[in-house]
Amino acid sequence: MELPGLAVAFWIFLCFCAFVGGYPNGKVREACTSMIPCHGSSPQRSPEHTIAVNSTEFKPGDNIEVRLSGPDFEGFFIQARDADHLDSPAVGSFMLVDRRRSQLLTCGRTKNSAVSHTNKAKKKDIRVHWIAPGDAPKRVQFLATVVKKYRTFWVKVPSPIVSQPGVLSLTTPLRATTEAMATSYPVSYISKPFSASGCGSMKFCIRNPSNCDPGSTSCFFLSFQKEENSVLIEMSGPSEGYLAFALSLDQWMGGDDAYLCINEDHRVRVSTAHLMGRSRPLLDSKSALEDVSWRLADGVLQCSFRRSIRLPAYKGRFNLDASYYIFLADGEASEGGLIHKHGHQPLITGGLCNVTGPPQDIGGSRSPRLIKAHGALMFVAWITTVSIGVIVARFFKPVWSHSFLFGKEMWFQVHRMLMLTTVTLTSISFVLPFIYRGGWSWQAGFHPYLGCAVMALTIFQPLLAGFRPSRHAPRRQLFNWFHWSSGTTARILAVVTMFLGMDLPALDLPNPWDTYTMIGFVAWHVGIDVLLEIHSYCLIRKVEVIEDDRVQILQSLTSAEAEGHLFKQIVLTIYVCGNIVFLVAFLIAINHI
């Protein structure tokens, strides 16, 4: 009885292995339509392989060489389809160059209309020949599925479009030539990165970082070149989802004229839209753009198009001969081209720009001025004034107890001045995000909630100080405890709030530099605090020993106090200088974003 059970289990195991093993022999007819291998995983989004054709023009009966190449791959599947209807059946037939590594398949009713691998051996390139049929569509595009490993594969990697004579590609620029295109996926129509040549002299350019090379994988680039009654626009940046720019009459999103380049299944859709508030833009069904072209390569998305300076027939399109703030954003896009909220703050020009006016080469900021001011004021308040004020009150009472300023002890006046400065700076800084956002920000996580708690404690502290009992009153100890505990709580919450705020898109400080700097400041403050505590303890112990000996008490006490006061003044000077260094570092970072 056990043998049949074992046989059944063995049979199930074989079936399972056959299923998960894919198609190592290349017999993949089941994937003729979708071109998706049944490997139980999703395709990759950034292909590593290239498709090249030796001609971009053909006539029925012509032979075109198609080459698939790139890093080692195990399997592949190549078809030719109508470029205007990529979901249509395969067209034409193929001839093999190397029968040991490739084989012909029949998809649909057309014999030899696809090519696939014969085994799992590693390959770097495959060459085949496509024969154009007599009823070939006017524009044809080759698609390839490439399998690097079982669960690592790319689907429908496109080639350049090949066209019959006299057929103008609807998405190919008029200036494109018909010379051989060796493309690097996912390349279509644009053969190389944009150039910054002519920025500031022939065209209006926006670059981030400033003066970056559009050919690099970290450069966001937007250019406008006036050509008689139209403007040629080029946009590129590191994005596998979408890139977009908008023309705005102010520095707030809403009521803007937007242009988007969206990666839709490894093809780029270029569209116009009108932004309504902070909601997802509604793409226009009717486009006012011409000479659209695009390229996807090495994680960089490029697109270019042309539009008329004035478009009276299109509602929502701004005239390009006026001045606007320019937004440049990027983000993710899901399958089907559905765009998501940009992952970080859009780049915004510092002032109004006329893209058809005198050419300029400018940068921009991903942090609005109000948010910059908010961060800067909070850093000044909670890194500088509060920290120094606490140190003065905690350790400098005996040092400045006999020095007076405006009728009060110097330590108290310095402490009060620094704390009132903190209250003022915090209050001003607190309202700036509300002015910028026009209300509460629901996307900022815990930062605004903790900020409100810090603001409440900041106001509570001077109010509590107004009811301070006299030095020898019975309730003075209770007051001291409440004053210390609420102040300490405010400082801890302020540091936590700043940690959270530094990672918000609106400020967009350089990671992880900002976090390390903030950790360094906390360690610096705690270290100085511990050093002064240890020094105070050692000084008290020294005085106790002197009192026990009862020898030269007055002279020894005076000498010990003088040494202690000098040490504290030196430490305070070093501490203030260190705080200024941290503050300057933060202000430089904020000023350069």
Side-chain angles (χ1 to χ4, degrees), residues 59-72:
K59 298 187 297 293
D62 280 357
N63 184 313
I64 293 181
E65 183 183 83
V66 181
R67 181 188 179 192
L68 172 65
S69 61
D72 287 346

Side-chain angles (χ1 to χ4, degrees), residues 9 37 73 167 173 208 219 239 271 291 326 333 374 383 398 427 527 557 575:
F73 56 96
V167 176
N208 180 250
C219 181
S239 176
S271 179
D291 296 349
I326 301 176
H374 168 74
I383 285 183
S427 300
L557 282 174
Y575 180 69

Side-chain angles (χ1 to χ4, degrees), residues 224-438:
F224 302 83
Q225 185 170 0
K226 184 179 178 181
E227 299 177 349
E228 295 183 353
N229 296 322
S230 66
V231 175
L232 176 64
I233 300 170
E234 297 177 334
M235 178 166 56
S236 67
S239 176
E240 295 183 357
Y242 72 90
L243 285 176
F245 79 89
L247 306 175
S248 178
L249 298 174
D250 52 40
Q251 291 185 305
W252 287 265
M253 289 181 64
D256 307 326
D257 181 13
Y259 301 80
L260 300 93
C261 299
I262 308 169
N263 183 356
E264 293 185 348
D265 301 324
H266 309 307
R267 296 175 63 85
V268 175
R269 174 186 178 187
V270 181
S271 179
T272 56
H274 189 70
L275 301 183
M276 300 298 295
R278 296 180 179 274
S279 59
R280 181 180 285 113
L282 297 176
L283 304 184
D284 297 331
S285 58
K286 186 178 180 181
S287 177
L289 308 179
E290 301 174 347
D291 296 349
V292 175
S293 60
W294 57 269
R295 180 181 189 240
L296 281 166
D298 303 322
V300 176
L301 189 156
Q302 291 177 251
C303 62
S304 69
F305 51 89
R306 191 187 313 275
R307 64 148 281 188
S308 298
I309 294 177
R310 290 178 173 270
L311 292 169
Y314 292 86
K315 184 179 179 180
R317 302 281 74 80
F318 293 177
N319 294 330
L320 296 183
D321 54 1
S323 296
Y324 307 99
Y325 290 98
I326 301 176
F327 290 64
L328 181 59
D330 66 288
E332 295 182 356
S334 55
E335 293 185 7
L338 180 64
I339 67 173
H340 300 279
K341 186 177 184 295
H342 39 77
H344 55 117
Q345 190 75 8
L347 181 77
I348 307 174
T349 55
L352 293 167
C353 302
N354 185 343
V355 298
T356 58
Q360 298 183 52
D361 187 7
I362 63 174
S365 173
R366 292 191 180 274
S367 182
R369 291 176 181 175
L370 288 177
I371 301 300
K372 282 185 176 182
H374 168 74
L377 292 177
M378 285 298 186
F379 283 138
V380 172
W382 295 94
I383 285 183
T384 307
T385 57
V386 158
S387 303
I388 298 173
V390 169
I391 292 289
V392 168
R394 177 72 180 87
F395 299 104
F396 280 79
K397 288 182 183 179
V399 177
W400 294 336
S401 59
H402 302 296
S403 301
F404 292 88
L405 184 65
F406 301 116
K408 296 283 187 178
E409 293 174 332
M410 180 179 289
W411 75 264
F412 177 75
Q413 293 286 49
V414 172
H415 172 75
R416 183 165 62 178
M417 178 189 66
L418 291 172
M419 293 307 176
L420 288 176
T421 302
T422 299
V423 173
T424 303
L425 294 177
T426 304
S427 300
I428 296 172
S429 178
F430 180 77
V431 302
L432 296 182
F434 291 95
I435 296 174
Y436 172 71
R437 294 291 182 186

Side-chain angles (χ1 to χ4, degrees), residues 564-592:
H565 294 175
L566 178 61
F567 178 81
K568 288 180 178 179
Q569 289 173 347
I570 294 174
V571 171
L572 179 63
T573 302
I574 296 173
Y575 180 69
V576 171
C577 293
N579 280 25
I580 293 174
V581 169
F582 280 106
L583 178 62
V584 169
F586 276 116
L587 293 180
I588 291 175
I590 290 175
N591 189 54
H592 281 78

Side-chain angles (χ1 to χ4, degrees), residues 467-481:
F467 296 94
R468 179 178 65 254
S470 60
R471 181 171 300 179
H472 302 292
R475 291 175 295 177
R476 182 58 181 256
Q477 284 297 108
L478 183 63
F479 164 82
N480 288 341
W481 188 88

Side-chain angles (χ1 to χ4, degrees), residues 32 44 97 253 289 292 302 320 461-462 492 499 504 590:
C32 274
Q44 304 297 306
V97 174
M253 289 181 64
L289 308 179
V292 175
Q302 291 177 251
L320 296 183
Q461 278 292 82
I492 293 173
F499 266 113
L504 290 177
I590 290 175

